[in-house]
Amino acid sequence: MADKIPLIKVSNVSKSFALAKRARSPLTVLHEINLEVRTGEFLAIVGPSGAGKSTLLYIMGALDRPSSGTVYFNGENISKMKDRELTNLRLRHVGFVFQNYNLIPNLNALENIAVGQIMDPSLGRNGKGASEVLEHVGLAERSDHLPAQLSGGEQQRVAIARALFASPSVILADEPTGNLDTKAGEAIIKLFSKLNKKLGTAIVLVTHNTNLAKYAGRKVEMVDGRI
Amino acid sequence: MAVSGKNPSGAREITLVRYVLKNISRRKLRSGLTISGIAICIAFFIVLAAISTGLNNYIQSELEERKEGTIYIYRPVPFSPDEFETLRAVTDEYFADSDIDYAITPTIEVTFIRKYGAAGFESNVEYYNLMGCGPEGVHTHWEQYDFTEKLHSGEHLDTIGQTQAGIVMGYRLWNDYYSNKTVGDTIDIVPKNISFKTVPWTMHDRYIAGDTNYTTEDIPPIRDVKLVGILAQSKGYRWVDYIGFLPMEFMLKAFKLYDDKNDTYYYPGITILIDDATDLDFSELEFMYKEAVVGAEGWDNRFEMRLDWLEDMENTVSSWFNIIITIISLVSIIGVSNTMLMSVSERRTELGILRALGFSRGKIKQLIFAEAIAICLIAYCISLVLGVWVSHYFNTQYELSLGLGESSIFFSPAQVSIEIVLASFCIAVLFGTIAALYPAHRATKVDPVEALRYG
Ligand SMILES: Nc1ncnc2c1ncn2[C@@H]1O[C@H](COP(=O)(O)OP(=O)(O)O)[C@@H](O)[C@H]1O
Ligand SMILES: [Mg+2]
């Protein structure tokens, strides 16, 4: 079953931002990046702040488009896809986890996890239900709690459960431990590791903390928009 | 086999409606204020539309009644028998060339009200009427409602050769004051706390002198009246429930409209019945009457007055209607729009997250539209209760004021029809939709990457 086709393939991707209108040259954040994420692997992207890790992650997750280069998802060139198709890809095949959890404040844990059902009522139907996913992250008891009633670590678990809900092929986590203390942060990374092994979901972990990268199966270092 | 999953299929954890309602209820004060504002606006629409409909229907039915043909002429100074004969002659002359069937009969109507208020009527008092009833019986000028059919029991009133006076009572009058009596019983008509409005013959001098403060004590009680019939509770015309009918001669005597020196009856009112009044020129007829009875003051052609007033009111309402609807629409739409814009701009991050999680632009739009429409629909429900209540109040007050012979200046017939209920529903949805247009557009412009980075 070892697929020859990588799950995500980033090929010669550059990204620049036009700065102020009068600035002569745009700011280039990613320089011809080449990177592969294999099905079911746990990859860590490590680098200092400002290296372009988030930018790269968003491009891999079909949230942003590269300025040049190509991104393949399951062998399909997504750089040319319409916005609608990218949205659908994010809904079904990508799970995002962010540094500041980004839960919907007035939805409880269970509703936050299943929030994709508003977009597509059948979402998560053939996979695990929201409460089962919540069990996976060890928060079965907190299903009707609002984000404000949960600790940072717990909120991040709910966010991970939300990312898992649609049974995506990959979870893209952008500094998921950035707002947590060392202990809680480590617990989160261990949870990723466990889910990766148990469910086979590929995980891309972005962090500037080299310590945490040791849980990953593979580590890529990134400095100044280059790997 | 038995699925004991924690997520039983069919039950969804979150739906669009739930999400929208949670959003609305999160900001209780703001949503509450917006909803109240819209509710008042829509209620305004409902009441205005109800008044317009009510007036139109009312005028329509009054016109129907006019076709049936009834004119009442009242005068605080009763007509003498000579004057009545003069009026009869004028009427004969007026109708001479037409094929219209008509009849002219003397009328007496005594209004008594529960609370004393002769000088100026409180608008919310219950009133009851005593009507004088000619030899034709109760049947007289109520053909449209055909009282004879509705009689529970009792018989036609017939004054000819009748020595024992009898009364046929409307259901409400009977129920309020004489419910312990049945047909055949003898009663006195001087209920406690009831006072009379109509000027009795004995008070005539005081009326001319400008004294309008009569009290119950001024009125002779009507004793030993035989209850000969009770009208069934009327369905269409509630007013009838408040009426009692007495034989004409008896009434005239009881109210001292009988001059025993000359052995003559005086008539405070005249009723003209016409089988088809469609082409009748009321003002011409009225003019002829006034010329015929020189010096007669205080003419009161109630029917025309009421109709004129209703038509005036209807014109006013409909000309104001458009202006008010425009203002209401603008206020509502701007209000909801503003609320939605605030909601969108303070939820930029949330909307960006939803986009990142795979919500399409269309779905985001849908969320904003749903929220605006939900606000308007909640307001609609409140406005419906409010509007129906106010309309009902207007209607009741108007009906009450009717019997006092003075059309209320403020209240008017109002009727909340199914059309109004549906129209205001559509208006609520329309308000929400229009109000959401720009906020929804703004919401779709949220760039998820930016919202995540700077949110
Ligand atoms: N929209 C943007 N406009 C201009 N510069 C940006 C924009 N987004 C990111 N950058 C710049 O790109 C660089 C890389 O950002 P980022 O991908 O967030 O790095 P990291 O996640 O590794 O800290 C930073 O210098 C940042 O200021
Ligand atoms: Mg970053």
Side-chain angles (χ1 to χ4, degrees):
Chain A
M1 279 274 290
D3 284 332
K4 292 256 170 70
I5 309 168
L7 179 63
I8 303 174
K9 183 176 152 94
V10 175
S11 166
N12 288 323
V13 159
S14 297
K15 177 76 178 176
S16 11
F17 293 103
L19 293 176
K21 271 178 191 163
R22 260 172 285 159
R24 246 162 257 147
S25 56
L27 173 73
T28 304
V29 181
L30 299 179
H31 300 272
E32 314 235 322
I33 301 268
N34 286 295
L35 180 68
E36 283 184 6
V37 179
R38 285 167 227 131
T39 309
E41 82 164 323
F42 188 167
L43 171 70
I45 301 177
V46 192
S49 187
K53 308 182 297 293
S54 297
T55 309
L56 176 61
L57 199 74
Y58 292 164
I59 289 175
M60 292 200 297
L63 195 57
D64 206 353
R65 290 172 190 275
S67 304
S68 67
T70 324
V71 181
Y72 300 91
F73 200 100
N74 263 331
E76 253 189 285
N77 183 352
I78 65 167
S79 313
K80 289 206 177 105
M81 276 187 181
K82 288 190 195 108
D83 194 69
R84 178 182 294 268
E85 294 167 294
L86 295 181
T87 302
N88 195 38
L89 184 80
R90 291 201 297 272
L91 181 70
R92 294 170 206 288
H93 303 294
V94 182
F96 276 106
V97 176
F98 306 98
Q99 179 172 352
N100 42 6
Y101 330 127
N102 280 342
L103 297 174
I104 311 296
N106 50 335
L107 299 186
N108 67 32
L110 212 60
E111 292 164 340
N112 256 293
I113 293 168
V115 76
Q117 284 187 341
I118 297 174
M119 183 62 212
D120 176 0
S122 68
L123 201 74
R125 264 296 129 82
N126 41 14
K128 310 152 275 288
S131 40
E132 206 180 321
V133 181
L134 199 57
E135 247 167 60
H136 274 301
V137 298
L139 281 177
E141 310 299 303
R142 314 295 295 271
S143 60
D144 55 354
H145 285 214
L146 293 173
Q149 297 166 316
L150 299 171
S151 74
E154 287 162 345
Q155 287 189 55
Q156 197 58 295
R157 282 162 190 272
V158 174
I160 293 168
R162 175 177 68 184
L164 277 176
F165 182 66
S167 317
S169 20
V170 63
I171 288 181
L172 304 175
D174 189 3
E175 310 259 15
T177 63
N179 287 1
L180 300 175
D181 58 51
T182 324
K183 207 174 136 214
E186 232 177 73
I188 290 294
I189 302 302
K190 279 182 182 158
L191 175 63
F192 274 127
S193 173
K194 185 189 102 185
L195 294 171
N196 173 250
K197 292 199 181 85
K198 202 165 141 195
L199 305 172
T201 314
I203 289 170
V204 179
L205 169 70
V206 159
T207 177
H208 60 262
N209 187 341
T210 342
N211 256 346
L212 297 173
K214 64 178 184 237
Y215 292 94
R218 190 158 67 97
K219 190 171 96 176
V220 175
E221 278 186 49
M222 198 171 171
V223 182
D224 283 342
R226 291 181 175 85
I227 286 188
Chain B
M1 281 207 282
V3 183
S4 61
K6 284 185 181 116
N7 179 30
S9 55
R12 270 186 264 150
E13 277 87 3
I14 181 80
T15 59
L16 186 140
V17 173
R18 181 113 172 257
Y19 171 80
V20 162
L21 291 180
K22 281 204 165 194
N23 259 331
I24 292 173
S25 63
R26 175 165 62 164
R27 290 167 294 267
K28 286 200 174 57
L29 183 66
R30 190 202 303 164
S31 304
L33 287 175
T34 310
I35 288 170
S36 317
I38 311 305
I40 290 169
C41 284
I42 301 176
F44 228 106
F45 167 81
I46 293 175
V47 171
L48 272 180
I51 288 176
S52 190
T53 312
L55 279 171
N56 265 321
N57 290 351
Y58 204 89
I59 290 170
Q60 214 53 48
S61 70
E62 290 281 303
L63 285 174
E64 290 293 312
E65 198 180 316
R66 176 149 94 174
K67 261 182 214 157
E68 291 286 329
T70 312
I71 306 170
Y72 314 101
I73 300 168
Y74 288 96
R75 212 169 57 138
V77 184
F79 297 102
S80 70
D82 289 347
E83 280 172 329
F84 179 71
E85 285 314 315
T86 311
L87 290 180
R88 187 197 290 283
V90 169
T91 315
D92 287 344
E93 186 192 326
Y94 183 84
F95 286 105
D97 298 335
S98 66
D99 332 323
I100 299 173
D101 265 350
Y102 69 96
I104 175 166
T105 60
T107 306
I108 179 166
E109 182 182 329
V110 177
T111 305
F112 43 76
I113 54 176
R114 186 176 284 172
K115 289 178 198 152
Y116 179 66
F121 288 97
E122 295 157 58
S123 58
N124 58 344
V125 292
E126 295 268 328
Y127 64 85
Y128 299 87
N129 264 355
L130 280 188
M131 309 277 286
C133 182
E136 302 88 352
V138 179
H139 199 63
T140 326
H141 48 265
W142 297 101
E143 277 159 301
Q144 206 175 338
Y145 306 102
D146 200 1
F147 279 18
T148 42
E149 295 296 310
K150 287 180 180 169
L151 277 175
H152 267 327
S153 50
E155 63 264 14
H156 273 236
L157 285 180
D158 188 351
T159 54
I160 298 169
Q162 190 175 313
T163 48
Q164 172 84 56
I167 182 167
V168 174
M169 274 190 191
Y171 176 80
R172 205 38 208 276
L173 181 59
W174 170 75
N175 188 50
D176 287 359
Y177 290 103
Y178 301 100
S179 53
N180 56 339
K181 303 284 184 186
T182 53
V183 173
D185 287 356
T186 300
I187 57 170
D188 293 338
I189 310 177
V190 182
K192 285 196 196 90
N193 304 325
I194 288 188
S195 60
F196 295 80
K197 183 202 171 192
T198 296
V199 186
W201 185 234
T202 44
M203 296 290 110
H204 183 222
D205 295 344
R206 278 172 65 180
Y207 181 85
I208 296 297
D211 181 359
T212 51
N213 285 313
Y214 318 108
T215 65
T216 317
E217 290 85 66
D218 296 329
I219 311 295
I222 310 173
R223 298 209 182 277
D224 299 329
V225 185
K226 194 176 171 197
L227 183 58
V228 295
I230 302 159
L231 297 177
Q233 199 160 10
S234 81
K235 289 196 186 71
Y237 206 66
R238 241 163 42 86
W239 201 45
V240 163
D241 293 341
Y242 293 85
I243 294 177
F245 296 92
L246 277 160
M248 190 60 143
E249 282 173 47
F250 182 83
M251 286 283 278
L252 293 171
K253 254 187 191 145
F255 290 98
K256 303 282 192 282
L257 292 163
Y258 171 66
D259 179 356
D260 41 3
K261 268 177 233 142
N262 302 320
D263 187 26
T264 309
Y265 292 106
Y266 291 85
Y267 313 116
I270 286 166
T271 303
I272 302 160
L273 304 164
I274 307 140
D275 72 344
D276 181 6
T278 330
D279 300 323
L280 206 67
D281 186 343
F282 284 88
S283 42
E284 191 193 336
L285 190 58
E286 195 175 330
F287 180 75
M288 284 169 69
Y289 283 164
K290 282 181 180 171
E291 280 220 307
V293 185
V294 183
E297 71 236 68
W299 289 79
D300 169 1
N301 183 345
R302 260 196 223 179
F303 179 86
E304 280 296 284
M305 268 176 35
R306 195 159 77 226
L307 206 61
D308 282 353
W309 177 82
L310 286 169
E311 273 168 356
D312 277 358
M313 181 109 172
E314 215 282 320
N315 284 339
T316 315
V317 168
S318 41
S319 57
W320 276 97
F321 196 73
N322 291 336
I323 298 170
I324 291 178
I325 290 307
T326 312
I327 295 170
I328 285 173
S329 306
L330 284 177
V331 169
S332 304
I333 290 169
I334 291 171
V336 180
S337 208
N338 181 46
T339 303
M340 290 314 299
L341 275 177
M342 280 164 79
S343 172
V344 167
S345 53
E346 61 182 31
R347 281 195 298 151
R348 281 181 61 81
T349 317
E350 181 171 325
L351 295 170
I353 295 163
L354 292 179
R355 291 279 286 127
L357 295 179
F359 278 52
S360 63
R361 286 209 170 87
K363 185 56 84 174
I364 298 289
K365 229 180 218 174
Q366 210 181 327
L367 290 177
I368 304 303
F369 274 106
E371 189 170 325
I373 291 171
I375 286 176
C376 289
L377 284 183
I378 295 169
Y380 165 74
C381 295
I382 298 169
S383 73
L384 207 56
V385 176
L386 213 63
V388 168
W389 181 72
V390 172
S391 302
H392 177 76
Y393 180 73
F394 262 59
N395 215 20
T396 319
Q397 289 306 311
Y398 180 74
E399 278 186 8
L400 283 177
S401 75
L402 262 188
L404 301 178
E406 293 164 12
S407 287
S408 161
I409 305 163
F410 187 67
F411 298 109
S412 82
Q415 200 177 325
V416 181
S417 61
I418 288 293
E419 285 86 353
I420 295 175
V421 172
L422 292 178
S424 45
F425 176 84
C426 294
I427 281 177
V429 174
L430 195 70
F431 281 177
T433 310
I434 296 175
L437 280 174
Y438 182 60
H441 174 74
R442 282 273 292 263
T444 59
K445 289 283 169 234
V446 172
D447 176 17
V449 178
E450 257 175 50
L452 290 170
R453 194 178 286 277
Y454 307 109

